[in-house]
Amino acid sequence: MIEKTFPILEKLLANGLKSTQKLFELLNAEHEQLKAQKDPMAIDALASHKKEVVTQLEQFSKQLGQVLATEKLLMSQDGINHYFAKAKTTGINISDAFTCWSEISDLSKTCRSLNEQNGASIDLLGRHAQRALHVLRGKSQLNTTYGPDGSTRSELFSHTLISV
């Protein structure tokens, strides 16, 4: 059966690598936009493209899992390694596919790290914007206080400094 599924796996891996590279490019572009802090619309457009690529990668993952399931293997690093070992024992040249999988794995780790950095930047920018809004609305920097019973409550007395 592996003789029939291996060509499918090779095509899947090639497409998966293209999608992973596209995600990496989008994350890098998002990182640069966040550093520049100039065009929020560009960041929004990049986020939309990222969603599309992530959907493609989810489909890739499902299809890869189906190929592995034909050999009764799980969708995991061990499952992939067992699949490659099985293909090699049947005489299939796995070098290109294995290289492609290695690139996908390495690039995915880089994407995860870059995505976490971008998320932290977006969170920080959001906090700054929230603070600025609180100042403009005349709210205390401390949003909540404790009541006599220990429960938290929002500031009761605040006034808007500016109205738009």
Side-chain angles (χ1 to χ4, degrees):
M1 179 63 110
I2 202 161
E3 295 85 8
K4 293 180 181 179
T5 61
F6 194 80
I8 296 169
L9 178 88
E10 286 181 306
K11 288 178 185 175
L12 278 175
L13 291 175
N15 290 335
L17 181 57
K18 287 178 188 174
S19 294
T20 307
Q21 289 168 335
K22 180 65 176 170
L23 180 61
F24 178 71
E25 291 169 11
L26 289 169
L27 288 167
N28 271 326
E30 182 180 58
H31 180 76
E32 292 303 315
Q33 285 293 326
L34 288 167
K35 259 188 353 187
Q37 296 183 11
K38 290 185 179 178
D39 190 4
M41 298 303 285
I43 294 172
D44 189 46
L46 289 167
S48 177
H49 291 337
K50 277 192 326 182
K51 286 180 185 178
E52 293 170 11
V53 174
V54 167
T55 300
Q56 292 170 2
L57 286 168
E58 287 171 349
Q59 184 67 29
F60 159 73
S61 182
K62 286 178 188 174
Q63 291 172 338
L64 185 58
Q66 290 170 343
V67 169
L68 293 174
T70 62
E71 297 297 321
K72 297 180 180 31
L73 297 169
L74 296 176
M75 178 59 192
S76 66
Q77 185 62 47
D78 284 341
I80 295 285
N81 290 339
H82 282 83
Y83 186 90
F84 281 131
K86 213 175 209 187
K88 192 173 184 177
T89 60
T90 62
I92 297 173
N93 180 1
I94 64 163
S95 63
D96 290 342
F98 186 78
T99 299
C100 192
W101 175 251
S102 296
E103 288 179 32
I104 290 171
S105 296
D106 292 343
L107 198 52
S108 294
K109 290 174 188 170
T110 304
C111 285
R112 180 185 316 131
S113 175
L114 194 53
N115 191 53
E116 288 172 359
Q117 289 173 16
N118 291 352
S121 294
I122 290 169
D123 182 57
L124 185 61
L125 290 171
R127 287 179 194 208
H128 287 289
Q130 194 65 33
R131 283 187 194 143
L133 286 172
H134 282 276
V135 167
L136 290 173
R137 291 183 180 144
K139 291 186 178 181
S140 166
Q141 290 295 326
L142 303 172
N143 292 340
T144 56
T145 57
Y146 291 101
D149 62 352
S151 63
T152 59
R153 58 186 168 164
S154 296
E155 291 289 323
L156 296 175
F157 303 105
S158 67
H159 60 284
T160 303
L161 296 177
I162 194 166
S163 175
V164 181

